[in-house]
Amino acid sequence: MSISKYAVVKQHLLAAIKSGEYRPGDQLPTEDELCKLYNVSRTTIRQALQQLELEGRIRKIQGRGTFIADAKSEIVHHMLAPIVNFSELMEELGRRSETRLLSSSVVPAEPPFQSQLDIPEQSPVTKLVRLRLADDQPVAYETIYLPWSLAPGLSNEREIGSLFKLLKEKYGRPIDRSLDTLKPALADEAVAELLRIEPGAPCFHIRTVSYLADNTPIEYSESYFRADMSHFVIERRYDHR
C-alpha cells in the first residue's frame, strides 16, 4: 500500500524532532520553505502539520509561526477504533438515542477551525451545534464546522441524525477517516447547563478532524462529553513483522 505524501512529510518532520534537529521551542520553517524542502504542495504541508499539531508535537501561534512543543508537557495516547455513529452505539447498548440540532448557520472561517479545514479565512463554513442524548439524558454537546463548498445547503437541513450518513448519501462525501484528540476539561456555565451538570464538573473534551479519501478535511468539531456517563476503550494492534 502506497504512503500518502503528507504522511511521508510528517514522518520526516517527526524524525527530525526525535533526533534533536528540532528542539522544544524551535520554530519550524514556513510553509513555503517546507514546500521547497520536500518538493510538495502547500496542501500536503498543511496536512502534515495538522497531524503533528493534533498529536501535540507542534503548536501554532497566530501571527508568529509554528513551534516545536515541549515534549514533557503532555503524553499523547493514540486510539485505534472503527468509526461508529452515536445512534448505532446507543442501539448496541440498548439505549434510546436522540440528537437535537440547537442551531445551524453559515459563518466566516476563522482560527482555529479555518486552519484545520485548510480553507481560506473568511470563506463560508457551515456551523452546527448539537446535543446528544441517551434515554433523555444529555451525554455530549458538540460544535461542528464544515466547508460550505463541500456540502452546500447543509445549514438548511431541519434534522441531522447521522451527519456522516447524510454527507455520504446526499452530498456524495463519504468520510474515510477521523482523527480525535481527547483531553480532560471542566464544564463552564454554558456547557454545564446544556449537559445538566454542575459548573466545574469534569468532562472529556474531544477535537475531531474528519477526512475524505483524498485527504481533504471536511469536518472539524469540538465536543464535550459528560465524564460521569462516558468512558473510552482503547484498542491496540501490534505489528509483528
Side-chain angles (χ1 to χ4, degrees):
M1 183 175 65
S2 62
I3 302 177
S4 57
K5 290 183 179 180
Y6 85 88
V8 173
V9 173
K10 174 193 169 185
Q11 290 304 317
H12 275 283
L13 290 172
L14 192 55
I17 293 171
K18 290 181 177 180
S19 69
E21 180 180 346
Y22 295 122
R23 299 181 179 276
D26 285 354
Q27 183 172 4
L28 280 177
T30 65
E31 289 183 359
D32 286 339
E33 291 170 337
L34 290 172
C35 287
K36 294 177 181 178
L37 178 62
Y38 293 106
N39 192 29
V40 295
S41 68
R42 184 184 292 269
T43 297
T44 297
I45 293 298
R46 286 180 175 173
Q47 288 175 342
L49 294 179
Q50 286 170 2
Q51 296 275 314
L52 291 171
E53 183 181 17
L54 287 169
E55 293 177 9
R57 299 286 186 174
I58 63 175
R59 55 190 177 91
K60 293 183 178 180
I61 301 178
Q62 188 71 18
R64 291 186 55 194
T66 303
F67 299 82
I68 306 301
D70 184 350
K72 296 181 180 180
S73 62
E74 58 184 18
I75 299 173
V76 178
H77 301 274
H78 296 269
M79 295 185 291
L80 175 64
I83 296 176
V84 179
N85 69 46
F86 182 77
S87 58
E88 290 175 346
L89 177 60
M90 292 301 103
E91 184 177 351
E92 290 178 5
L93 297 175
R95 306 185 69 169
R96 186 178 71 261
S97 67
E98 180 185 356
T99 299
R100 294 180 186 172
L101 183 61
L102 303 182
S103 67
S104 178
S105 59
V106 177
V107 300
E110 59 185 22
F113 63 84
Q114 171 263 330
S115 61
Q116 297 295 344
L117 293 175
D118 192 23
I119 55 178
E121 286 196 38
Q122 302 301 307
S123 59
V125 173
T126 300
K127 177 182 178 181
L128 308 174
V129 181
R130 306 196 299 180
L131 190 64
R132 303 279 206 167
L133 301 96
D135 296 334
D136 297 321
Q137 288 291 319
V139 176
Y141 165 66
E142 59 186 17
T143 304
I144 305 168
Y145 302 93
L146 307 97
W148 184 89
S149 61
L150 296 181
L154 180 61
S155 61
N156 297 323
E157 298 287 339
R158 294 185 177 181
E159 293 185 8
I160 300 177
S162 169
L163 175 61
F164 286 7
K165 183 178 180 180
L166 181 64
L167 289 173
K168 177 182 179 180
E169 295 182 354
K170 183 170 183 177
Y171 296 97
R173 307 285 187 182
I175 302 297
D176 181 68
R177 61 188 176 87
S178 293
L179 182 63
D180 299 314
T181 59
L182 182 152
K183 289 184 178 182
L186 301 178
D188 61 22
E189 291 188 2
V191 171
E193 181 178 359
L194 286 166
L195 294 181
R196 300 180 199 165
I197 55 179
E198 293 295 322
C203 295
F204 294 109
H205 179 218
I206 300 180
R207 292 193 306 167
T208 301
V209 182
S210 298
Y211 299 86
L212 302 177
D214 63 358
N215 291 316
T216 298
I218 188 174
E219 179 223 24
Y220 172 78
S221 68
E222 295 203 19
S223 304
Y224 289 88
F225 285 77
R226 284 177 53 163
D228 62 338
M229 295 182 65
S230 307
H231 74 273
F232 296 85
V233 177
I234 302 174
E235 175 185 353
R236 293 187 174 94
R237 295 180 182 177
Y238 298 92
D239 188 350
H240 295 287
R241 292 178 295 176

mmCIF file with all atom_site columns, all heavy atoms in Angstrom, residues 32 135 194 231:
data_model
loop_
_atom_site.group_PDB
_atom_site.id
_atom_site.type_symbol
_atom_site.label_atom_id
_atom_site.label_alt_id
_atom_site.label_comp_id
_atom_site.label_asym_id
_atom_site.label_entity_id
_atom_site.label_seq_id
_atom_site.pdbx_PDB_ins_code
_atom_site.Cartn_x
_atom_site.Cartn_y
_atom_site.Cartn_z
_atom_site.occupancy
_atom_site.B_iso_or_equiv
_atom_site.pdbx_formal_charge
_atom_site.auth_seq_id
_atom_site.auth_comp_id
_atom_site.auth_asym_id
_atom_site.auth_atom_id
_atom_site.pdbx_PDB_model_num
ATOM 1  N N   . ASP A 1 32  ? 5.992   27.797 2.946  1.00 0.00 ? 32  ASP A N   1
ATOM 2  C CA  . ASP A 1 32  ? 6.657   27.925 1.639  1.00 0.00 ? 32  ASP A CA  1
ATOM 3  C C   . ASP A 1 32  ? 8.024   27.250 1.655  1.00 0.00 ? 32  ASP A C   1
ATOM 4  O O   . ASP A 1 32  ? 8.406   26.563 0.691  1.00 0.00 ? 32  ASP A O   1
ATOM 5  C CB  . ASP A 1 32  ? 6.807   29.401 1.265  1.00 0.00 ? 32  ASP A CB  1
ATOM 6  C CG  . ASP A 1 32  ? 5.488   30.032 0.832  1.00 0.00 ? 32  ASP A CG  1
ATOM 7  O OD1 . ASP A 1 32  ? 4.580   29.274 0.455  1.00 0.00 ? 32  ASP A OD1 1
ATOM 8  O OD2 . ASP A 1 32  ? 5.383   31.271 0.877  1.00 0.00 ? 32  ASP A OD2 1
ATOM 9  N N   . ASP A 1 135 ? -31.478 8.067  26.419 1.00 0.00 ? 135 ASP A N   1
ATOM 10 C CA  . ASP A 1 135 ? -32.596 7.910  27.359 1.00 0.00 ? 135 ASP A CA  1
ATOM 11 C C   . ASP A 1 135 ? -32.946 9.244  28.010 1.00 0.00 ? 135 ASP A C   1
ATOM 12 O O   . ASP A 1 135 ? -33.128 9.341  29.232 1.00 0.00 ? 135 ASP A O   1
ATOM 13 C CB  . ASP A 1 135 ? -32.254 6.869  28.428 1.00 0.00 ? 135 ASP A CB  1
ATOM 14 C CG  . ASP A 1 135 ? -32.055 5.470  27.840 1.00 0.00 ? 135 ASP A CG  1
ATOM 15 O OD1 . ASP A 1 135 ? -32.640 5.196  26.777 1.00 0.00 ? 135 ASP A OD1 1
ATOM 16 O OD2 . ASP A 1 135 ? -31.305 4.679  28.438 1.00 0.00 ? 135 ASP A OD2 1
ATOM 17 N N   . LEU A 1 194 ? -26.297 22.905 29.510 1.00 0.00 ? 194 LEU A N   1
ATOM 18 C CA  . LEU A 1 194 ? -26.779 22.025 28.452 1.00 0.00 ? 194 LEU A CA  1
ATOM 19 C C   . LEU A 1 194 ? -26.654 20.548 28.837 1.00 0.00 ? 194 LEU A C   1
ATOM 20 O O   . LEU A 1 194 ? -27.521 19.741 28.510 1.00 0.00 ? 194 LEU A O   1
ATOM 21 C CB  . LEU A 1 194 ? -26.007 22.288 27.156 1.00 0.00 ? 194 LEU A CB  1
ATOM 22 C CG  . LEU A 1 194 ? -26.363 23.586 26.429 1.00 0.00 ? 194 LEU A CG  1
ATOM 23 C CD1 . LEU A 1 194 ? -25.315 23.912 25.382 1.00 0.00 ? 194 LEU A CD1 1
ATOM 24 C CD2 . LEU A 1 194 ? -27.739 23.460 25.773 1.00 0.00 ? 194 LEU A CD2 1
ATOM 25 N N   . HIS A 1 231 ? -17.003 6.649  29.061 1.00 0.00 ? 231 HIS A N   1
ATOM 26 C CA  . HIS A 1 231 ? -15.622 6.203  29.164 1.00 0.00 ? 231 HIS A CA  1
ATOM 27 C C   . HIS A 1 231 ? -15.203 5.729  27.779 1.00 0.00 ? 231 HIS A C   1
ATOM 28 O O   . HIS A 1 231 ? -16.047 5.479  26.915 1.00 0.00 ? 231 HIS A O   1
ATOM 29 C CB  . HIS A 1 231 ? -15.425 5.107  30.227 1.00 0.00 ? 231 HIS A CB  1
ATOM 30 C CG  . HIS A 1 231 ? -15.945 3.761  29.845 1.00 0.00 ? 231 HIS A CG  1
ATOM 31 N ND1 . HIS A 1 231 ? -17.251 3.369  30.052 1.00 0.00 ? 231 HIS A ND1 1
ATOM 32 C CD2 . HIS A 1 231 ? -15.337 2.705  29.247 1.00 0.00 ? 231 HIS A CD2 1
ATOM 33 C CE1 . HIS A 1 231 ? -17.422 2.131  29.624 1.00 0.00 ? 231 HIS A CE1 1
ATOM 34 N NE2 . HIS A 1 231 ? -16.285 1.712  29.124 1.00 0.00 ? 231 HIS A NE2 1
#
